[in-house]
Amino acid sequence: MKLAALILPFALLATSAQAANTECLSDKYSQYVDASLTWYEELIAITVKKDPNLESVGNWFLKGRKHHFELNRAAVDFYLKNDPSKVKTNQSIESWLQLDQKEIKSLSMKDDALGKVAKITFDDRQAPPHKQNYELRSAFADILSHPKEIDAPLKAYNKTMTQISDINCK
């Protein structure tokens, strides 16, 4: 009886520490997703400002990026709690989760919150590209080859990513 009374507090402490670490890692990844989406929003805004004819394809592209990143956010949360080996937290945050099309399809068949988000992303990837996709990609290449045009949002993104990488979850 005394042994159980001694072991129980240590077990609870370990469980509490693991939950705090999971929460920290989840928050860290969520900040990465937010920073990435902000970067894409800025890139689209600059592109559309330069060529207003790309607004429709820009919105289409941004919607796809949002779906992709929201799936990754949900999947990281799920896997951190249920199968931490799927989240490579020893790598750069951009590489924590690698979901291939087969995995996304499998997830999309689940009848839960993660499955619903995966279904949206899977459907995006199965849909034909926007008719102006090539023009948008060309505009991105042009903008990215002229760093002055993206200097402020790129610096903001890099600063945020440095702050995120400095987060040390234990």
Side-chain angles (χ1 to χ4, degrees), residues 8 13 23 49 64-65 72 77 92-93 99 103 107 111 117 140:
L8 184 60
L13 184 60
E23 184 71 25
K49 184 177 180 185
R65 292 284 76 205
N72 283 3
D77 284 347
S92 68
I93 198 162
L99 292 176
E103 290 170 301
L107 289 171
D111 190 27
V117 176
F140 286 165

Side-chain angles (χ1 to χ4, degrees), residues 26 29-30 33 66-82 87 97 99 107 112-118:
S26 179
Y29 195 81
S30 188
V33 167
K66 286 180 179 178
H67 293 161
H68 165 82
F69 279 106
E70 292 304 335
L71 167 60
N72 283 3
R73 185 189 328 248
V76 164
D77 284 347
F78 175 83
Y79 288 128
L80 282 172
K81 292 173 186 156
N82 297 291
V87 184
L97 182 68
L99 292 176
L107 289 171
D112 59 11
L114 179 57
K116 289 175 184 160
V117 176

Side-chain angles (χ1 to χ4, degrees), residues 40-170:
Y40 280 112
E41 289 167 358
E42 294 285 341
L43 182 60
I44 294 295
I46 291 167
T47 304
V48 170
K49 184 177 180 185
K50 195 171 181 181
D51 185 349
N53 292 322
L54 297 176
E55 184 173 7
S56 173
V57 68
N59 290 336
W60 167 84
F61 177 83
L62 187 57
K63 185 172 123 184
R65 292 284 76 205
K66 286 180 179 178
H67 293 161
H68 165 82
F69 279 106
E70 292 304 335
L71 167 60
N72 283 3
R73 185 189 328 248
V76 164
D77 284 347
F78 175 83
Y79 288 128
L80 282 172
K81 292 173 186 156
N82 297 291
D83 187 0
S85 68
K86 289 238 182 213
V87 184
K88 309 297 183 208
T89 58
N90 60 336
Q91 297 181 13
S92 68
I93 198 162
E94 298 92 339
S95 301
W96 278 17
L97 182 68
Q98 300 296 323
L99 292 176
D100 63 27
Q101 191 66 357
K102 183 179 172 186
E103 290 170 301
I104 294 170
K105 182 178 182 179
S106 177
L107 289 171
S108 75
M109 294 177 191
K110 295 174 72 172
D111 190 27
D112 59 11
L114 179 57
K116 289 175 184 160
V117 176
K119 174 98 172 92
I120 293 168
T121 299
F122 182 75
D123 290 348
D124 284 349
R125 293 181 179 188
Q126 298 304 306
H130 193 282
K131 63 183 179 183
Q132 290 180 291
N133 188 41
Y134 179 78
E135 289 87 347
L136 180 68
R137 302 297 176 135
S138 296
F140 286 165
D142 183 54
I143 288 169
L144 294 171
S145 66
H146 296 92
K148 285 187 179 184
E149 294 183 34
I150 59 168
D151 189 53
L154 186 58
K155 282 183 179 174
Y157 174 77
N158 288 335
K159 179 181 177 186
T160 301
M161 289 303 295
T162 297
Q163 292 168 340
I164 292 168
S165 70
D166 289 342
I167 297 171
N168 189 11
C169 300
K170 299 189 185 221

